[in-house]
Amino acid sequence: MEELATEKEAEESHRQDSVSLLTFILLLTLTILTIWLFKHRRVRFLHETGLAMIYGLIVGVILRYGTPSTSGHDKPFSCSQEDRPFTTLLVNVSGKFFEYTLKGEISPGKIHNVEQNDMLRKVTFDPEVFFNILLPPIIFHAGYSLKKRHFFRNLGSILAYAFLGTAVSCFIIGNLMYGVVKLMKLVGQLSDKFYYTDCLLFGAIISATDPVTVLAIFNELHADVDLYALLFGESVLNDAVAIVLSSSIVAYQPTGENTHAFDAAAFFKSVGVFLGIFSGSFMMGAVTGVVTALVTKFTKLHCFPLLETALFFLMSWSTFLLAEACGFTGVVAVLFCGITQAHYTYNNLSVESRSRTKQLFEVLHFLAENFIFSYMGLALFTFQKHIFSPVFIIGAFIAIFLGRAAHIYPLSFLLNLGRRHKISWNFQHMMMFSGLRGAMAFALAIRDTATYSHQMMFSTTLLIVFFTVWIVGGGTTPMLSWLNIRVGVDPDQDPPPTNDSFQVLQGDGPDSERRNRTKQESAWLFRLWYSFDHNYLKPILTHSGPPLTTTLPSWCGLIARCLTSPQVYDNQEQLREEDSDFILNDGDLTVTYGDTTITANGSSGPHTATTSLDGRRTKSSSEEALERDLGAADHEVTSRGTRLVFPLEDNA
C-alpha cells in the first residue's frame, strides 16, 4: 500500500509539472495573439512585455485564490544540536530513509504560514533557471544583432553612460536608500537587519536599465537614430556593468568585528574584483567567438548548414556557462561573444546558416523575454516571501529618479564639451524618462532572497518593474511628441537621398566636409583598432579582408599563405555583411580592377597610399576598407571583377 501511495504521489507530481509548463506556454500563446491584435490595430499605449505581465498577474490571482491546498502535512522538527543548515538531509522514517533538499530560511513568525499549495510551489522556478537558461539568449541576441553603425558613432558617450553613469547611479541610490533604512529603523518599521552593503547591492540591481518597451516603440516610429543608439548601447552594456557591480559588492568583506563597516582595503579589493571579473569575462567571450570563427573558417561545415548552425548555437551558449563555471560573469561573456560572432563568424557561415542563426536567436530572445515578464506577474502572487514596506518603496522610487538624473544630466554636460553634435536637452529628457527596469533587475533580485533585506529588495524591485513598464512605457509616444523628437527615420540607415540619380562626388565642397567631419567624430575610437583588425584579424578569422600576403612582411609568406582563405584570393574586395556596418563615408567614384584603383579624380595605383593628379592623397588599402565598411549609402555594381561605387548625396 505504501508503494502504491508513493507511485500515486509521483504521478500527481508529474501531472502538476506538466500543468505548470502548460500554463506558461498558454500565457505566451495568448500574449503573441494579443500582440498581433495590437500591431494590427496600431495600439502603442501598452507594449508586449507589459501585456505579458498583466496575463501573468491574472494567472497568479487564479492560482493563489482559485486552487485549493493539496497538502497539509508539514511538521517542524528541531535540530538544536546543529549550528548550520544542511543542503541535503536524510530523514529516517520507520526504518526508511528519505532525502530532503534545502529550500531556504523561514522566519519564525511565518512558520505556520508555509505554502501548502503544491501547484504554487511548482510554478515557482529555481532562480538559476533564469540565469542559465533564459538570460543567455536575451543577452547574446543583444550583441549578435547590434547595429554597429550608429553604435560606433556614439561609442564614447555610450561607454561613459554605461560604466561611469551606472556606477554613479548605484552609489547615489545605495546611499539614499541607506538613509531610508535609517528612517525606517527610527520609526520602528524595520524588523530585521539591513546593512549598508545591502543598500549598495540594491543600487546595483536597480541600476540595470532595460528600455525594451521604449526601444520597440522607437523601432516602430523610426525615432532619431542617434537617440536610439545611445539608449540601446547604454542598455546593452549597462546590464553587464550592473551584474559585475553586484558581484563586487557581494565580495566586499571588511576585516574586523563589524563586517559591514567601511574598510579601504576591502573597497579596493572590490574594485579589483570588478576589473578582474569584467576583463576576464570579456576575454572569455571574445576568445570563444574567435575559436568559433576559426572552426567555421578552416572546416567544411558550411557544406552542412544544420551542423554549422548547431555548432554556432552550442558554442555561443557554452560561453555563458563556461564563464559562470570559472567564477566570471556569463552575462558579460555572452554579450561580447555575440559581438565577436557577428563581426567574424557571421562572415564564414553559409547563407542558410546566417539566416538560421539570426532567426533562431531572435525567436529565443522573444520567448525568453516574454516568459520572464509573464513570470514577474505570476511571482507577485506566488512568491512566498514578499515583504512590502511603503516607506522603502516610496524611498526607492525617489532614489531611482535622483540617481537617473545624476546619471544623465551631468554626464551629458561633460560629454557635450567634446562632441561636435551635442546631446540636446530633449534627448537628455527622453533618456531620463526611458530608464525602465526589466528582466535583468528582476533576475538579479530573485537570485538571492534568503534574508529579510533581500526579500524586501525583491518585492520592491518587482513593483518598480511593473510601474516603469506600464506607466513609463505607455507614455513613450506622448513624450516623443512633447519633446519634438523627430520620427520617421530608419534606425539602421541614414536618411535616404532626396533624388534618384547617381552622382559622382569630387570630394570638394561642404558636403564632403560634413561627411569627413562625421567620419572623424564618429569613428575615432574605432579607428584605433580598425586598421589592425582589417589587415590581420579579419583575414585570419574570416574569408574577407586583404590577403595576408599583402599585409604581412615578406618573410612571413608561408604563414600568410596558410592562414589566408582561398576565397580572399578569388575576390580581394572586402566582403560586406548584410546589415551594413558603422557609418557613411566614401566620397569618390572608385573603380577597382584587380590590384589597381582608379578614383573619379584620376588617381590610380595598387592598394597603397598614393597621390592623385590634382595633388590630393588617396587612401591606403586599410583606409579605403574602413571607408567602405563605414559607408552605408553606397550602391555597388560588380561585373567581371570590376567594382563601381556610386555614392549618393545625403541631406542631413
Side-chain angles (χ1 to χ4, degrees):
M1 292 297 293
E2 290 181 359
E3 292 178 356
L4 289 175
T6 303
E7 290 178 1
K8 189 174 181 180
E9 288 180 1
E11 184 178 348
E12 180 67 17
S13 177
H14 172 72
R15 186 187 67 82
Q16 290 175 352
D17 286 334
S18 301
V19 171
S20 65
L21 292 176
L22 178 62
T23 300
F24 285 104
I25 290 176
L26 292 178
L27 274 174
L28 292 175
T29 304
L30 186 60
T31 302
I32 291 171
L33 293 176
T34 313
I35 290 170
W36 168 81
L37 181 63
F38 276 28
K39 289 184 180 294
H40 181 67
R41 299 293 183 183
R42 299 184 182 275
V43 176
R44 293 194 180 97
F45 68 87
L46 185 63
H47 186 250
E48 60 200 46
T49 53
L51 194 64
M53 293 171 71
I54 291 176
Y55 287 146
L57 280 171
I58 295 172
V59 174
V61 171
I62 294 173
L63 291 177
R64 165 62 71 179
Y65 302 107
T67 56
S69 298
T70 53
S71 63
H73 305 290
D74 291 343
K75 180 180 179 181
F77 289 91
S78 177
C79 299
S80 57
Q81 296 180 352
E82 305 298 335
D83 57 355
R84 63 180 181 86
F86 295 97
T87 304
T88 303
L89 193 65
L90 296 178
V91 179
N92 186 348
V93 180
S94 302
K96 294 183 178 180
F97 288 90
F98 296 88
E99 181 182 4
Y100 294 84
T101 57
L102 179 67
K103 295 286 290 185
E105 183 182 2
I106 301 172
S107 59
K110 295 186 177 182
I111 192 67
H112 298 294
N113 297 325
V114 177
E115 184 55 62
Q116 301 297 322
N117 193 320
D118 286 344
M119 191 62 202
L120 290 181
R121 289 179 174 178
K122 293 291 183 181
V123 297
T124 303
F125 285 96
D126 188 331
E128 294 304 314
V129 171
F130 292 97
F131 261 80
N132 295 329
I133 297 178
L134 297 178
L135 273 186
I138 294 176
I139 304 300
F140 182 86
H141 179 263
Y144 192 55
S145 63
L146 180 69
K147 305 300 182 184
K148 297 181 283 292
R149 202 161 154 272
H150 295 284
F151 179 86
F152 281 97
R153 170 181 290 177
N154 299 279
L155 181 60
S157 301
I158 289 171
L159 292 175
Y161 285 128
F163 284 86
L164 186 58
T166 304
V168 168
S169 175
C170 167
F171 283 100
I172 288 179
I173 293 174
N175 283 281
L176 289 175
M177 292 312 298
Y178 188 62
V180 172
V181 168
K182 289 294 186 181
L183 177 63
M184 291 173 62
K185 187 175 182 180
L186 190 64
V187 298
Q189 291 196 12
L190 197 67
S191 58
D192 208 336
K193 296 177 180 179
F194 208 121
Y195 298 109
Y196 177 67
T197 50
D198 294 326
C199 296
L200 286 180
L201 179 62
F202 178 73
I205 289 172
I206 213 65
S207 293
T209 59
D210 185 18
V212 58
T213 306
V214 176
L215 293 176
I217 294 174
F218 278 14
N219 256 331
E220 293 177 10
L221 298 178
H222 303 305
D224 189 280
V225 290
D226 286 326
L227 177 60
Y228 182 92
L230 287 171
L231 274 174
F232 180 77
E234 181 205 357
S235 66
V236 166
L237 295 178
N238 166 274
D239 289 347
V241 174
I243 192 171
V244 179
L245 260 179
S246 62
S247 300
S248 303
I249 293 170
V250 171
Y252 178 79
Q253 295 179 345
T255 57
E257 296 182 0
N258 190 353
T259 58
H260 295 273
F262 178 78
D263 186 288
F267 172 77
F268 286 110
K269 179 183 177 182
S270 295
V271 173
V273 169
F274 175 87
L275 296 175
I277 291 179
F278 196 94
S279 58
S281 303
F282 165 77
M283 289 299 299
M284 189 165 290
V287 167
T288 307
V290 166
V291 170
T292 310
L294 289 172
V295 171
T296 53
K297 177 183 177 179
F298 291 105
T299 62
K300 297 292 185 180
L301 272 175
H302 64 272
C303 299
F304 306 94
L306 178 62
L307 299 180
E308 190 178 37
T309 305
L311 178 68
F312 183 93
F313 174 81
L314 293 175
M315 290 292 289
S316 303
W317 202 305
S318 64
T319 304
F320 183 93
L321 301 176
L322 179 63
E324 292 288 335
C326 294
F328 296 109
T329 299
V331 169
V332 179
V334 80
L335 170 64
F336 287 100
C337 176
I339 295 174
T340 307
Q341 301 275 46
H343 191 58
Y344 297 115
T345 312
Y346 184 86
N347 289 324
N348 301 335
L349 300 178
S350 62
V351 175
E352 189 174 349
S353 293
R354 291 184 184 185
S355 176
R356 280 180 175 179
T357 53
K358 279 189 172 292
Q359 293 174 0
L360 173 63
F361 280 101
E362 186 176 3
V363 170
L364 289 176
H365 163 264
F366 173 81
L367 292 177
E369 190 167 61
N370 280 280
F371 183 95
I372 289 179
F373 279 96
S374 297
Y375 186 80
M376 287 185 200
L378 203 68
L380 188 62
F381 292 97
T382 60
F383 186 69
Q384 304 174 28
K385 305 172 184 177
H386 278 307
I387 299 177
F388 294 103
S389 170
V391 176
F392 191 85
I393 293 169
I394 294 172
F397 275 101
I398 296 174
I400 289 170
F401 177 82
L402 295 177
R404 183 69 179 173
H407 172 176
I408 297 297
Y409 295 115
L411 271 182
S412 300
F413 172 78
L414 295 175
L415 291 170
N416 280 338
L417 297 178
R419 286 177 62 103
R420 291 182 182 269
H421 295 285
K422 310 300 182 185
I423 302 173
S424 60
W425 280 106
N426 57 346
F427 277 24
Q428 295 179 41
H429 296 329
M430 194 66 216
M431 293 179 69
M432 169 72 189
F433 181 80
S434 303
L436 283 76
R437 271 62 179 180
M440 178 58 70
F442 174 79
L444 286 173
I446 200 175
R447 197 173 192 181
D448 182 7
T449 56
T451 63
Y452 168 84
S453 59
H454 287 196
Q455 291 164 12
M456 185 183 295
M457 287 156 50
F458 171 71
S459 302
T460 305
T461 300
L462 204 56
L463 293 182
I464 291 171
V465 172
F466 285 167
F467 178 84
T468 55
V469 170
W470 289 339
I471 306 302
V472 178
T476 299
T477 304
M479 183 64 70
L480 282 172
S481 177
W482 185 64
L483 293 174
N484 295 320
I485 294 175
R486 62 174 183 158
V487 295
V489 180
D490 191 339
D492 295 332
Q493 296 180 358
D494 281 331
T498 55
N499 54 62
D500 296 325
S501 61
F502 291 104
Q503 299 184 20
V504 178
L505 304 178
Q506 299 298 325
D508 295 326
D511 186 71
S512 178
E513 270 181 33
R514 177 186 62 79
R515 281 195 311 237
N516 288 334
R517 184 172 66 248
T518 304
K519 171 181 66 178
Q520 294 170 1
E521 176 182 333
S522 62
W524 70 271
L525 280 177
F526 173 65
R527 283 173 177 272
L528 295 178
W529 65 270
Y530 182 86
S531 180
F532 176 78
D533 174 69
H534 171 73
N535 290 331
Y536 304 107
L537 293 183
K538 275 222 167 177
I540 292 174
L541 301 177
T542 71
H543 300 301
S544 59
L548 289 172
T549 51
T550 63
T551 58
L552 287 176
S554 56
W555 55 271
C556 297
L558 180 61
I559 298 177
R561 285 191 293 272
C562 292
L563 294 178
T564 302
S565 172
Q567 287 91 323
V568 175
Y569 292 108
D570 296 337
N571 184 11
Q572 294 185 12
E573 68 180 63
Q574 172 77 18
L575 296 179
R576 295 173 58 86
E577 299 177 8
E578 289 181 8
D579 48 348
S580 60
D581 288 349
F582 312 131
I583 196 172
L584 172 68
N585 263 338
D586 256 282
D588 297 323
L589 168 63
T590 306
V591 180
T592 303
Y593 197 94
D595 290 332
T596 303
T597 300
I598 305 173
T599 69
N601 299 322
S603 62
S604 64
H607 292 281
T608 57
T610 61
T611 304
S612 63
L613 297 178
D614 58 2
R616 287 195 298 271
R617 180 180 178 273
T618 327
K619 303 291 188 294
S620 66
S621 62
S622 63
E623 290 172 324
E624 289 175 343
L626 171 57
E627 294 190 1
R628 284 199 299 272
D629 277 353
L630 298 182
D634 297 341
H635 289 253
E636 300 180 12
V637 179
T638 305
S639 176
R640 297 181 182 178
T642 303
R643 179 173 181 265
L644 302 180
V645 183
F646 296 93
L648 290 175
E649 183 177 4
D650 283 344
N651 295 317

